[in-house]
Amino acid sequence: MSTPITDLAQLPPAFEKAMNSGKLDEVLSLLAPGAVMRTVTGGTVTGQALRDYAAGSIAGNAQLSNGPSRVVAGDDIAFVTEDWTLEITTPDGNRNKATGTSTNVARRVEDGGWRYAILNPLGTA
């Protein structure tokens, strides 16, 4: 990502586009330093483990589709929810489809742009 995302509404579509185009560095550029993600199996990943998890999704030709986002924002922090669908090829070659509602936290970082600090695709589940 070369230009900071200053319009919070553009963060979810930017994440979707980066994931679907298979651009790991773009996906990671949308994450705040120290970001954490709750995986679809309920564990959490951060740092190198988060990078590896995203790389695995890309290797599985992940295709993400986000529904409309709902945002509650303060000065430098925001709560972002959205419905999503993800299709991915598993290591055994099967194509799987999952859906859910994410509950994510974004924060404004030093460059003035918004990035995800917490990704929780399982929502309240």
Side-chain angles (χ1 to χ4, degrees):
M1 179 180 70
S2 57
T3 305
I5 295 177
T6 56
D7 177 359
L8 182 55
Q10 295 307 308
L11 186 57
F15 189 86
E16 177 183 321
K17 181 180 177 185
M19 180 63 69
N20 292 347
S21 64
K23 297 180 179 175
L24 179 60
D25 288 338
E26 268 187 49
V27 170
L28 297 174
S29 76
L30 299 170
L31 305 179
V36 62
M37 179 179 185
R38 184 175 178 209
T39 68
V40 293
T41 59
T44 58
V45 290
T46 191
Q48 184 62 45
L50 177 51
R51 179 183 185 84
D52 294 345
Y53 190 82
S57 295
I58 288 171
N61 191 30
Q63 292 299 295
L64 176 64
S65 176
N66 288 327
S69 299
R70 296 162 297 280
V71 176
V72 178
D75 288 338
D76 294 329
I77 195 162
F79 184 68
V80 182
T81 63
E82 63 205 346
D83 298 326
W84 57 266
T85 300
L86 179 72
E87 290 188 39
I88 192 166
T89 302
T90 59
D92 62 7
N94 290 321
R95 191 81 176 152
N96 289 349
K97 182 176 180 179
T99 61
T101 300
S102 65
T103 55
N104 304 316
V105 174
R107 66 180 165 123
R108 195 182 318 266
V109 294
E110 289 179 9
D111 65 6
W114 288 96
R115 295 188 191 167
Y116 285 117
I118 301 171
L119 293 160
N120 181 15
L122 300 178
T124 59

